[in-house]
Amino acid sequence: NAGVTQTPKFRVLKTGQSMTLLCAQDMNHEYMYWYRQDPGMGLRLIHYSVGEGTTAKGEVPDGYNVSRLKKQNFLLGLESAAPSQTSVYFCASSSTFPRGAPSYEQYFGPGTRLTVT
Amino acid sequence: AQSVTQLDSQVPVFEEAPVELRCNYSSSVSVYLFWYVQYPNQGLQLLLKYLSGSTLVKGINGFEAEFNKSQTSFHLRKPSVHISDTAEYFCAAKRQSGNTPLVFGKGTRLSVIA
C-alpha cells in the first residue's frame, strides 16, 4: 500500500514550457486535490476532484489544468509555465464515505518541487 | 467563507519546554478542525482532529489540542518538546456540511533548540 505518490519529485522548466504532474493513490479514495506551497503562504488549493471525470476550481486555479480520467490518478498540467509557478506541489486524497466514524482525513503525497526559470 | 489564522509564523522553544501553537478559525457554519505536521522535505501528516465530542483531543507524538467554540480557537499544545518536533505545523478547517475541501492556515514553524 503506497498511499499517495507523485511523479516527478523535482523538475526545472523554462518559461513557456509545459509539463504534467502525476498523482496516484491506491486507497480507492473518491476525492483528490492539488495544492501549492509557497513560503509564508501555507497550502493553497489549485483544483480538486470529487470523483472520476469531475474537477473543480480551488483558490488559485489560473494557469493550471487538471484531469481525472481514472479514479486513482489526478493529473496537474501547466500549459505555459511562468516563474510565478515556481513552488512545491502537493497532491492529497480523501474518502467520502469512510467506514466507521468519519475521519475526513486527507492523505498527502511527498511533493514535487518545480522551478521555472 | 471560512478562514484559518495561525497567529505565529515562527515559534522557537528550548528542548523539554512546553509549547502552544495558536489557531483561530472563522466560519458562519460548524466546522471540523485538524492539525497537520510537515517535517523537512516531506508531505503533511495528520497530528490530530476534532470532529465532535470531548473538546480536548489527543494526537500522535504527545500533542493535544483544545476546541474552544466561544473563542473559535483550536490551539495545539505539548508539555515537553523534543528536537524531533522541529517542523512546520498547519491548522485546517472543513465545513461539516457538504463535500468542501480543507482550508489551511499559513503554518507555524516550530524550532526546538537544544
Side-chain angles (χ1 to χ4, degrees), chain A residues 32-99:
Chain A
M32 296 187 75
Y33 315 83
W34 275 108
Y35 293 90
R36 61 177 290 173
Q37 183 180 26
D38 303 289
M41 302 295 288
L43 275 80
R44 292 182 291 170
L45 184 65
I46 304 171
H47 287 279
Y48 64 103
S49 168
V50 301
E52 183 178 323
T54 69
T55 63
K57 293 181 180 180
E59 183 186 352
V60 288
D62 294 342
Y64 305 94
N65 56 76
V66 288
S67 63
R68 183 100 182 267
L69 299 179
K70 294 182 179 180
K71 186 177 184 179
Q72 63 268 35
N73 295 337
F74 194 29
L75 305 179
L76 177 71
L78 286 73
E79 288 187 351
S80 179
S84 61
Q85 294 177 304
T86 293
S87 187
V88 181
Y89 292 86
F90 286 100
C91 177
S93 70
S94 66
S95 58
T96 50
F97 301 106
R99 295 173 185 165

Short mmCIF file of all heavy atoms in Angstrom, two decimals, chain A residues 32-99:
data_model
loop_
_atom_site.label_atom_id
_atom_site.label_comp_id
_atom_site.label_asym_id
_atom_site.label_seq_id
_atom_site.Cartn_x
_atom_site.Cartn_y
_atom_site.Cartn_z
N MET A 32 -9.65 13.87 -4.67
CA MET A 32 -8.23 14.16 -4.83
C MET A 32 -8.04 15.66 -4.98
O MET A 32 -8.95 16.36 -5.47
CB MET A 32 -7.65 13.39 -6.04
CG MET A 32 -7.70 11.87 -5.84
SD MET A 32 -6.86 10.93 -7.13
CE MET A 32 -5.14 11.21 -6.69
N TYR A 33 -6.87 16.14 -4.59
CA TYR A 33 -6.61 17.58 -4.52
C TYR A 33 -5.19 17.88 -5.00
O TYR A 33 -4.28 17.08 -4.82
CB TYR A 33 -6.70 18.06 -3.06
CG TYR A 33 -7.88 17.54 -2.27
CD1 TYR A 33 -7.85 16.29 -1.66
CD2 TYR A 33 -9.03 18.32 -2.11
CE1 TYR A 33 -8.93 15.82 -0.93
CE2 TYR A 33 -10.11 17.85 -1.37
CZ TYR A 33 -10.05 16.60 -0.79
OH TYR A 33 -11.11 16.13 -0.07
N TRP A 34 -5.04 19.08 -5.55
CA TRP A 34 -3.72 19.62 -5.83
C TRP A 34 -3.56 20.93 -5.08
O TRP A 34 -4.41 21.84 -5.18
CB TRP A 34 -3.52 19.88 -7.32
CG TRP A 34 -3.08 18.67 -8.08
CD1 TRP A 34 -3.80 17.92 -8.96
CD2 TRP A 34 -1.77 18.07 -8.05
NE1 TRP A 34 -3.05 16.90 -9.46
CE2 TRP A 34 -1.79 16.97 -8.93
CE3 TRP A 34 -0.58 18.37 -7.37
CZ2 TRP A 34 -0.68 16.15 -9.14
CZ3 TRP A 34 0.51 17.56 -7.57
CH2 TRP A 34 0.47 16.47 -8.45
N TYR A 35 -2.44 21.03 -4.33
CA TYR A 35 -2.10 22.24 -3.60
C TYR A 35 -0.74 22.73 -4.08
O TYR A 35 0.10 21.95 -4.53
CB TYR A 35 -1.97 21.97 -2.10
CG TYR A 35 -3.25 21.60 -1.39
CD1 TYR A 35 -3.64 20.27 -1.28
CD2 TYR A 35 -4.03 22.56 -0.77
CE1 TYR A 35 -4.80 19.91 -0.60
CE2 TYR A 35 -5.18 22.22 -0.09
CZ TYR A 35 -5.55 20.89 -0.01
OH TYR A 35 -6.70 20.54 0.67
N ARG A 36 -0.51 24.01 -3.88
CA ARG A 36 0.84 24.54 -3.99
C ARG A 36 1.23 25.13 -2.66
O ARG A 36 0.37 25.68 -1.93
CB ARG A 36 0.98 25.55 -5.12
CG ARG A 36 0.12 26.78 -5.03
CD ARG A 36 0.42 27.74 -6.20
NE ARG A 36 1.75 28.36 -6.06
CZ ARG A 36 2.32 29.13 -6.98
NH1 ARG A 36 1.68 29.39 -8.12
NH2 ARG A 36 3.50 29.67 -6.78
N GLN A 37 2.51 24.99 -2.33
CA GLN A 37 3.00 25.52 -1.05
C GLN A 37 4.13 26.49 -1.33
O GLN A 37 5.14 26.15 -1.95
CB GLN A 37 3.52 24.39 -0.14
CG GLN A 37 3.97 24.89 1.23
CD GLN A 37 4.47 23.79 2.12
OE1 GLN A 37 4.96 22.75 1.66
NE2 GLN A 37 4.36 23.99 3.43
N ASP A 38 3.95 27.71 -0.85
CA ASP A 38 4.94 28.76 -1.01
C ASP A 38 5.27 29.33 0.36
O ASP A 38 4.39 29.38 1.24
CB ASP A 38 4.40 29.87 -1.92
CG ASP A 38 3.98 29.32 -3.28
OD1 ASP A 38 4.89 28.95 -4.03
OD2 ASP A 38 2.78 29.23 -3.56
N PRO A 39 6.51 29.78 0.57
CA PRO A 39 6.92 30.30 1.88
C PRO A 39 5.97 31.39 2.38
O PRO A 39 5.67 32.35 1.67
CB PRO A 39 8.32 30.85 1.61
CG PRO A 39 8.82 30.06 0.45
CD PRO A 39 7.63 29.80 -0.41
N GLY A 40 5.50 31.21 3.61
CA GLY A 40 4.64 32.22 4.22
C GLY A 40 3.21 32.22 3.73
O GLY A 40 2.39 33.03 4.20
N MET A 41 2.89 31.34 2.78
CA MET A 41 1.54 31.32 2.22
C MET A 41 0.76 30.07 2.61
O MET A 41 -0.43 29.95 2.31
CB MET A 41 1.60 31.38 0.69
CG MET A 41 2.32 32.59 0.14
SD MET A 41 1.43 34.11 0.54
CE MET A 41 0.02 33.96 -0.54
N GLY A 42 1.40 29.13 3.25
CA GLY A 42 0.73 27.89 3.60
C GLY A 42 0.41 27.07 2.36
O GLY A 42 1.10 27.17 1.34
N LEU A 43 -0.62 26.28 2.43
CA LEU A 43 -1.06 25.48 1.28
C LEU A 43 -2.27 26.14 0.65
O LEU A 43 -3.23 26.47 1.34
CB LEU A 43 -1.45 24.07 1.72
CG LEU A 43 -0.32 23.07 1.82
CD1 LEU A 43 0.42 23.25 3.12
CD2 LEU A 43 -0.85 21.65 1.71
N ARG A 44 -2.21 26.30 -0.64
CA ARG A 44 -3.35 26.88 -1.36
C ARG A 44 -3.86 25.87 -2.37
O ARG A 44 -3.09 25.29 -3.12
CB ARG A 44 -2.92 28.17 -2.05
CG ARG A 44 -2.59 29.30 -1.06
CD ARG A 44 -2.23 30.58 -1.78
NE ARG A 44 -0.95 30.45 -2.46
CZ ARG A 44 -0.47 31.35 -3.33
NH1 ARG A 44 -1.17 32.44 -3.57
NH2 ARG A 44 0.69 31.18 -3.90
N LEU A 45 -5.16 25.70 -2.38
CA LEU A 45 -5.79 24.69 -3.23
C LEU A 45 -5.86 25.18 -4.66
O LEU A 45 -6.37 26.28 -4.93
CB LEU A 45 -7.19 24.39 -2.70
CG LEU A 45 -7.98 23.30 -3.39
CD1 LEU A 45 -7.29 21.93 -3.20
CD2 LEU A 45 -9.40 23.25 -2.86
N ILE A 46 -5.38 24.37 -5.58
CA ILE A 46 -5.38 24.75 -7.00
C ILE A 46 -6.66 24.23 -7.67
O ILE A 46 -7.47 24.99 -8.19
CB ILE A 46 -4.15 24.17 -7.72
CG1 ILE A 46 -2.86 24.61 -7.02
CG2 ILE A 46 -4.14 24.62 -9.19
CD1 ILE A 46 -1.61 23.91 -7.55
N HIS A 47 -6.82 22.92 -7.67
CA HIS A 47 -8.01 22.25 -8.20
C HIS A 47 -8.27 21.01 -7.35
O HIS A 47 -7.36 20.53 -6.67
CB HIS A 47 -7.81 21.78 -9.65
CG HIS A 47 -7.80 22.86 -10.67
ND1 HIS A 47 -8.96 23.42 -11.19
CD2 HIS A 47 -6.76 23.47 -11.31
CE1 HIS A 47 -8.63 24.31 -12.11
NE2 HIS A 47 -7.31 24.37 -12.19
N TYR A 48 -9.48 20.53 -7.42
CA TYR A 48 -9.77 19.27 -6.75
C TYR A 48 -10.79 18.48 -7.57
O TYR A 48 -11.37 19.01 -8.54
CB TYR A 48 -10.23 19.47 -5.31
CG TYR A 48 -11.55 20.20 -5.14
CD1 TYR A 48 -12.71 19.50 -4.83
CD2 TYR A 48 -11.63 21.58 -5.22
CE1 TYR A 48 -13.91 20.16 -4.63
CE2 TYR A 48 -12.82 22.24 -5.03
CZ TYR A 48 -13.96 21.54 -4.73
OH TYR A 48 -15.14 22.20 -4.54
N SER A 49 -10.96 17.24 -7.18
CA SER A 49 -11.86 16.36 -7.90
C SER A 49 -12.68 15.54 -6.91
O SER A 49 -12.13 14.98 -5.96
CB SER A 49 -11.06 15.41 -8.80
OG SER A 49 -11.88 14.38 -9.30
N VAL A 50 -13.98 15.50 -7.15
CA VAL A 50 -14.85 14.75 -6.24
C VAL A 50 -15.14 13.35 -6.76
O VAL A 50 -15.89 12.60 -6.14
CB VAL A 50 -16.17 15.51 -5.97
CG1 VAL A 50 -15.86 16.88 -5.38
CG2 VAL A 50 -17.01 15.63 -7.21
N GLY A 51 -14.57 13.01 -7.89
CA GLY A 51 -14.74 11.67 -8.42
C GLY A 51 -14.22 11.61 -9.83
O GLY A 51 -13.93 12.63 -10.46
N GLU A 52 -14.14 10.39 -10.35
CA GLU A 52 -13.64 10.18 -11.70
C GLU A 52 -14.44 11.01 -12.70
O GLU A 52 -15.68 11.03 -12.67
CB GLU A 52 -13.77 8.69 -12.04
CG GLU A 52 -13.24 8.29 -13.38
CD GLU A 52 -13.38 6.78 -13.59
OE1 GLU A 52 -13.20 6.04 -12.61
OE2 GLU A 52 -13.70 6.37 -14.71
N GLY A 53 -13.73 11.73 -13.54
CA GLY A 53 -14.37 12.53 -14.58
C GLY A 53 -14.87 13.89 -14.14
O GLY A 53 -15.43 14.63 -14.94
N THR A 54 -14.68 14.25 -12.87
CA THR A 54 -15.13 15.56 -12.38
C THR A 54 -13.98 16.33 -11.79
O THR A 54 -13.09 15.76 -11.14
CB THR A 54 -16.22 15.42 -11.31
OG1 THR A 54 -15.64 14.88 -10.13
CG2 THR A 54 -17.34 14.51 -11.77
N THR A 55 -13.96 17.64 -12.01
CA THR A 55 -12.95 18.51 -11.40
C THR A 55 -13.61 19.82 -11.01
O THR A 55 -14.67 20.18 -11.54
CB THR A 55 -11.78 18.79 -12.35
OG1 THR A 55 -12.26 19.49 -13.50
CG2 THR A 55 -11.07 17.51 -12.77
N ALA A 56 -12.96 20.54 -10.10
CA ALA A 56 -13.47 21.83 -9.65
C ALA A 56 -12.30 22.74 -9.33
O ALA A 56 -11.21 22.26 -8.99
CB ALA A 56 -14.37 21.65 -8.42
N LYS A 57 -12.55 24.04 -9.44
CA LYS A 57 -11.50 25.01 -9.17
C LYS A 57 -11.37 25.25 -7.69
O LYS A 57 -12.34 25.27 -6.94
CB LYS A 57 -11.83 26.33 -9.88
CG LYS A 57 -11.76 26.24 -11.38
CD LYS A 57 -12.07 27.59 -12.02
CE LYS A 57 -11.99 27.49 -13.53
NZ LYS A 57 -12.30 28.80 -14.18
N GLY A 58 -10.12 25.47 -7.28
CA GLY A 58 -9.85 25.84 -5.90
C GLY A 58 -9.57 27.32 -5.79
O GLY A 58 -10.13 28.13 -6.53
N GLU A 59 -8.68 27.67 -4.90
CA GLU A 59 -8.38 29.06 -4.59
C GLU A 59 -7.52 29.73 -5.67
O GLU A 59 -7.69 30.92 -5.97
CB GLU A 59 -7.65 29.12 -3.25
CG GLU A 59 -7.31 30.50 -2.73
CD GLU A 59 -6.47 30.44 -1.46
OE1 GLU A 59 -6.28 29.33 -0.91
OE2 GLU A 59 -5.99 31.51 -1.02
N VAL A 60 -6.58 28.97 -6.26
CA VAL A 60 -5.63 29.56 -7.21
C VAL A 60 -5.54 28.71 -8.48
O VAL A 60 -4.50 28.14 -8.78
CB VAL A 60 -4.24 29.74 -6.57
CG1 VAL A 60 -4.24 30.86 -5.55
CG2 VAL A 60 -3.75 28.42 -5.93
N PRO A 61 -6.60 28.65 -9.28
CA PRO A 61 -6.61 27.74 -10.43
C PRO A 61 -5.95 28.27 -11.71
O PRO A 61 -5.65 27.47 -12.61
CB PRO A 61 -8.11 27.55 -10.68
CG PRO A 61 -8.69 28.88 -10.28
CD PRO A 61 -7.86 29.34 -9.10
N ASP A 62 -5.72 29.59 -11.78
CA ASP A 62 -5.26 30.17 -13.04
C ASP A 62 -3.89 29.65 -13.44
O ASP A 62 -2.95 29.62 -12.65
CB ASP A 62 -5.23 31.70 -12.93
CG ASP A 62 -6.63 32.27 -12.78
OD1 ASP A 62 -7.60 31.55 -13.10
OD2 ASP A 62 -6.75 33.43 -12.33
N GLY A 63 -3.77 29.27 -14.71
CA GLY A 63 -2.51 28.79 -15.24
C GLY A 63 -2.33 27.28 -15.13
O GLY A 63 -1.31 26.74 -15.55
N TYR A 64 -3.33 26.61 -14.56
CA TYR A 64 -3.28 25.16 -14.36
C TYR A 64 -4.52 24.50 -14.94
O TYR A 64 -5.60 25.08 -14.94
CB TYR A 64 -3.22 24.81 -12.87
CG TYR A 64 -2.11 25.44 -12.10
CD1 TYR A 64 -2.32 26.64 -11.41
CD2 TYR A 64 -0.85 24.87 -12.04
CE1 TYR A 64 -1.32 27.23 -10.68
CE2 TYR A 64 0.17 25.45 -11.31
CZ TYR A 64 -0.07 26.65 -10.63
OH TYR A 64 0.93 27.22 -9.91
N ASN A 65 -4.34 23.26 -15.42
CA ASN A 65 -5.49 22.44 -15.77
C ASN A 65 -5.31 21.07 -15.14
O ASN A 65 -4.20 20.67 -14.79
CB ASN A 65 -5.65 22.34 -17.30
CG ASN A 65 -4.38 21.81 -17.95
OD1 ASN A 65 -4.10 20.62 -17.89
ND2 ASN A 65 -3.61 22.68 -18.57
N VAL A 66 -6.42 20.37 -14.96
CA VAL A 66 -6.38 19.06 -14.31
C VAL A 66 -7.27 18.09 -15.08
O VAL A 66 -8.17 18.49 -15.81
CB VAL A 66 -6.84 19.12 -12.84
CG1 VAL A 66 -5.80 19.81 -11.96
CG2 VAL A 66 -8.20 19.80 -12.71
N SER A 67 -6.98 16.82 -14.85
CA SER A 67 -7.85 15.80 -15.40
C SER A 67 -7.87 14.60 -14.47
O SER A 67 -6.87 14.27 -13.83
CB SER A 67 -7.41 15.37 -16.80
OG SER A 67 -6.13 14.78 -16.75
N ARG A 68 -9.04 13.96 -14.42
CA ARG A 68 -9.25 12.79 -13.55
C ARG A 68 -9.94 11.71 -14.40
O ARG A 68 -11.13 11.46 -14.27
CB ARG A 68 -10.11 13.17 -12.34
CG ARG A 68 -10.30 12.03 -11.36
CD ARG A 68 -9.36 12.15 -10.19
NE ARG A 68 -9.51 11.03 -9.27
CZ ARG A 68 -10.32 11.07 -8.21
NH1 ARG A 68 -11.07 12.12 -7.97
NH2 ARG A 68 -10.39 10.01 -7.42
N LEU A 69 -9.17 11.13 -15.28
CA LEU A 69 -9.73 10.12 -16.18
C LEU A 69 -9.91 8.78 -15.49
O LEU A 69 -10.80 7.99 -15.84
CB LEU A 69 -8.85 9.96 -17.42
CG LEU A 69 -8.70 11.23 -18.27
CD1 LEU A 69 -7.78 10.97 -19.46
CD2 LEU A 69 -10.07 11.73 -18.75
N LYS A 70 -9.06 8.51 -14.51
CA LYS A 70 -9.17 7.28 -13.73
C LYS A 70 -9.28 7.65 -12.26
O LYS A 70 -8.69 8.65 -11.82
CB LYS A 70 -7.96 6.37 -13.93
CG LYS A 70 -7.81 5.80 -15.32
CD LYS A 70 -6.61 4.88 -15.36
CE LYS A 70 -6.44 4.27 -16.75
NZ LYS A 70 -5.26 3.36 -16.81
N LYS A 71 -9.99 6.89 -11.50
CA LYS A 71 -10.21 7.21 -10.10
C LYS A 71 -8.91 7.34 -9.33
O LYS A 71 -8.79 8.20 -8.45
CB LYS A 71 -11.07 6.11 -9.45
CG LYS A 71 -11.50 6.40 -8.03
CD LYS A 71 -12.38 5.30 -7.51
CE LYS A 71 -12.90 5.62 -6.12
NZ LYS A 71 -13.80 4.54 -5.62
N GLN A 72 -7.92 6.55 -9.67
CA GLN A 72 -6.70 6.54 -8.88
C GLN A 72 -5.69 7.61 -9.29
O GLN A 72 -4.70 7.80 -8.62
CB GLN A 72 -6.03 5.16 -8.95
CG GLN A 72 -5.56 4.74 -10.33
CD GLN A 72 -6.62 3.94 -11.09
OE1 GLN A 72 -7.81 4.20 -10.95
NE2 GLN A 72 -6.19 2.99 -11.89
N ASN A 73 -5.94 8.30 -10.40
CA ASN A 73 -4.96 9.27 -10.89
C ASN A 73 -5.55 10.66 -11.00
O ASN A 73 -6.71 10.83 -11.41
CB ASN A 73 -4.46 8.86 -12.28
CG ASN A 73 -3.68 7.56 -12.24
OD1 ASN A 73 -3.15 7.17 -11.20
ND2 ASN A 73 -3.60 6.89 -13.38
N PHE A 74 -4.72 11.66 -10.70
CA PHE A 74 -5.14 13.05 -10.83
C PHE A 74 -3.96 13.81 -11.40
O PHE A 74 -2.90 13.88 -10.79
CB PHE A 74 -5.54 13.59 -9.45
CG PHE A 74 -6.30 14.88 -9.47
CD1 PHE A 74 -7.11 15.24 -10.54
CD2 PHE A 74 -6.23 15.76 -8.40
CE1 PHE A 74 -7.84 16.42 -10.55
CE2 PHE A 74 -6.95 16.94 -8.38
CZ PHE A 74 -7.75 17.27 -9.46
N LEU A 75 -4.13 14.34 -12.60
CA LEU A 75 -3.05 14.99 -13.32
C LEU A 75 -3.17 16.51 -13.20
O LEU A 75 -4.26 17.07 -13.33
CB LEU A 75 -3.08 14.61 -14.79
CG LEU A 75 -3.06 13.11 -15.12
CD1 LEU A 75 -3.11 12.89 -16.61
CD2 LEU A 75 -1.84 12.45 -14.51
N LEU A 76 -2.03 17.16 -12.99
CA LEU A 76 -1.99 18.63 -12.96
C LEU A 76 -1.11 19.09 -14.12
O LEU A 76 0.05 18.69 -14.20
CB LEU A 76 -1.40 19.12 -11.64
CG LEU A 76 -1.23 20.64 -11.51
CD1 LEU A 76 -2.60 21.32 -11.39
CD2 LEU A 76 -0.37 21.00 -10.30
N GLY A 77 -1.66 19.92 -14.99
CA GLY A 77 -0.93 20.40 -16.14
C GLY A 77 -0.63 21.88 -16.09
O GLY A 77 -1.44 22.67 -15.60
N LEU A 78 0.57 22.22 -16.56
CA LEU A 78 0.94 23.61 -16.76
C LEU A 78 1.16 23.77 -18.26
O LEU A 78 2.07 23.15 -18.82
CB LEU A 78 2.23 23.97 -16.02
CG LEU A 78 2.18 24.12 -14.51
CD1 LEU A 78 2.04 22.78 -13.80
CD2 LEU A 78 3.42 24.85 -14.02
N GLU A 79 0.32 24.53 -18.93
CA GLU A 79 0.42 24.64 -20.39
C GLU A 79 1.56 25.55 -20.82
O GLU A 79 2.25 25.27 -21.79
CB GLU A 79 -0.90 25.17 -20.95
CG GLU A 79 -2.01 24.13 -20.88
CD GLU A 79 -3.27 24.61 -21.59
OE1 GLU A 79 -3.33 25.80 -21.98
OE2 GLU A 79 -4.20 23.79 -21.73
N SER A 80 1.79 26.63 -20.06
CA SER A 80 2.85 27.57 -20.39
C SER A 80 3.42 28.09 -19.07
O SER A 80 2.89 29.03 -18.49
CB SER A 80 2.30 28.72 -21.24
OG SER A 80 3.32 29.64 -21.54
N ALA A 81 4.47 27.44 -18.61
CA ALA A 81 4.97 27.72 -17.26
C ALA A 81 5.49 29.15 -17.13
O ALA A 81 6.09 29.70 -18.07
CB ALA A 81 6.08 26.72 -16.91
N ALA A 82 5.28 29.70 -15.94
CA ALA A 82 5.75 31.04 -15.61
C ALA A 82 6.55 30.99 -14.31
O ALA A 82 6.30 30.09 -13.48
CB ALA A 82 4.56 31.99 -15.45
N PRO A 83 7.49 31.90 -14.13
CA PRO A 83 8.29 31.90 -12.88
C PRO A 83 7.42 31.93 -11.62
O PRO A 83 7.82 31.37 -10.59
CB PRO A 83 9.15 33.15 -13.02
CG PRO A 83 9.33 33.31 -14.50
CD PRO A 83 8.02 32.91 -15.09
N SER A 84 6.24 32.55 -11.71
CA SER A 84 5.35 32.60 -10.55
C SER A 84 4.82 31.22 -10.15
O SER A 84 4.23 31.06 -9.07
CB SER A 84 4.16 33.52 -10.83
OG SER A 84 3.42 33.03 -11.94
N GLN A 85 5.02 30.25 -11.01
CA GLN A 85 4.56 28.90 -10.70
C GLN A 85 5.66 28.05 -10.05
O GLN A 85 5.45 26.86 -9.77
CB GLN A 85 4.03 28.21 -11.95
CG GLN A 85 2.76 28.87 -12.47
CD GLN A 85 2.24 28.25 -13.75
OE1 GLN A 85 2.95 28.17 -14.76
NE2 GLN A 85 0.98 27.85 -13.74
N THR A 86 6.80 28.67 -9.79
CA THR A 86 7.83 28.01 -9.00
C THR A 86 7.27 27.77 -7.61
O THR A 86 6.85 28.71 -6.94
CB THR A 86 9.09 28.89 -8.92
OG1 THR A 86 9.67 28.98 -10.22
CG2 THR A 86 10.10 28.30 -7.94
N SER A 87 7.25 26.50 -7.20
CA SER A 87 6.59 26.16 -5.95
C SER A 87 6.82 24.69 -5.65
O SER A 87 7.43 23.96 -6.43
CB SER A 87 5.08 26.43 -6.07
OG SER A 87 4.43 26.25 -4.82
N VAL A 88 6.33 24.27 -4.51
CA VAL A 88 6.25 22.84 -4.19
C VAL A 88 4.79 22.44 -4.30
O VAL A 88 3.92 23.07 -3.70
CB VAL A 88 6.79 22.52 -2.78
CG1 VAL A 88 6.71 21.02 -2.51
CG2 VAL A 88 8.22 23.00 -2.63
N TYR A 89 4.54 21.42 -5.08
CA TYR A 89 3.17 20.99 -5.34
C TYR A 89 2.88 19.68 -4.59
O TYR A 89 3.65 18.73 -4.65
CB TYR A 89 2.97 20.77 -6.85
CG TYR A 89 3.02 22.07 -7.61
CD1 TYR A 89 4.23 22.61 -8.05
CD2 TYR A 89 1.85 22.79 -7.87
CE1 TYR A 89 4.28 23.82 -8.71
CE2 TYR A 89 1.89 24.00 -8.54
CZ TYR A 89 3.12 24.50 -8.96
OH TYR A 89 3.16 25.71 -9.62
N PHE A 90 1.77 19.71 -3.89
CA PHE A 90 1.35 18.53 -3.14
C PHE A 90 0.01 18.03 -3.65
O PHE A 90 -0.92 18.81 -3.88
CB PHE A 90 1.21 18.84 -1.65
CG PHE A 90 2.51 19.00 -0.95
CD1 PHE A 90 3.03 20.26 -0.69
CD2 PHE A 90 3.25 17.89 -0.55
CE1 PHE A 90 4.24 20.41 -0.05
CE2 PHE A 90 4.46 18.03 0.09
CZ PHE A 90 4.96 19.31 0.33
N CYS A 91 -0.07 16.74 -3.76
CA CYS A 91 -1.32 16.07 -4.06
C CYS A 91 -1.84 15.42 -2.78
O CYS A 91 -1.04 15.01 -1.91
CB CYS A 91 -1.09 15.00 -5.13
SG CYS A 91 -2.54 14.02 -5.53
N ALA A 92 -3.15 15.34 -2.65
CA ALA A 92 -3.74 14.67 -1.48
C ALA A 92 -5.00 13.95 -1.92
O ALA A 92 -5.57 14.24 -2.98
CB ALA A 92 -4.07 15.69 -0.38
N SER A 93 -5.43 13.00 -1.11
CA SER A 93 -6.68 12.30 -1.40
C SER A 93 -7.44 12.07 -0.10
O SER A 93 -6.84 12.08 0.99
CB SER A 93 -6.42 10.97 -2.11
OG SER A 93 -5.83 10.03 -1.22
N SER A 94 -8.74 11.88 -0.21
CA SER A 94 -9.55 11.56 0.96
C SER A 94 -10.77 10.78 0.51
O SER A 94 -11.18 10.84 -0.66
CB SER A 94 -9.97 12.83 1.72
OG SER A 94 -10.85 13.61 0.93
N SER A 95 -11.36 10.07 1.46
CA SER A 95 -12.55 9.29 1.15
C SER A 95 -13.79 10.12 1.48
O SER A 95 -13.74 11.06 2.26
CB SER A 95 -12.56 7.99 1.95
OG SER A 95 -12.51 8.28 3.33
N THR A 96 -14.91 9.77 0.87
CA THR A 96 -16.15 10.48 1.14
C THR A 96 -17.01 9.74 2.14
O THR A 96 -17.69 10.35 2.94
CB THR A 96 -16.98 10.66 -0.13
OG1 THR A 96 -17.09 9.40 -0.80
CG2 THR A 96 -16.33 11.67 -1.05
N PHE A 97 -16.99 8.44 2.09
CA PHE A 97 -17.84 7.66 2.98
C PHE A 97 -16.97 6.64 3.71
O PHE A 97 -17.03 5.46 3.44
CB PHE A 97 -18.94 6.94 2.20
CG PHE A 97 -19.80 7.90 1.45
CD1 PHE A 97 -19.69 8.01 0.08
CD2 PHE A 97 -20.72 8.69 2.12
CE1 PHE A 97 -20.49 8.90 -0.63
CE2 PHE A 97 -21.52 9.58 1.42
CZ PHE A 97 -21.40 9.68 0.05
N PRO A 98 -16.14 7.12 4.66
CA PRO A 98 -15.26 6.20 5.36
C PRO A 98 -16.05 5.23 6.23
O PRO A 98 -17.10 5.55 6.73
CB PRO A 98 -14.39 7.12 6.21
CG PRO A 98 -15.20 8.34 6.39
CD PRO A 98 -16.01 8.50 5.13
N ARG A 99 -15.51 4.06 6.37
CA ARG A 99 -16.17 3.07 7.22
C ARG A 99 -16.03 3.48 8.67
O ARG A 99 -15.05 4.05 9.07
CB ARG A 99 -15.53 1.70 7.00
CG ARG A 99 -15.75 1.17 5.62
CD ARG A 99 -14.96 -0.10 5.38
NE ARG A 99 -15.11 -0.53 4.00
CZ ARG A 99 -14.32 -1.42 3.42
NH1 ARG A 99 -13.35 -1.99 4.11
NH2 ARG A 99 -14.50 -1.77 2.17
#
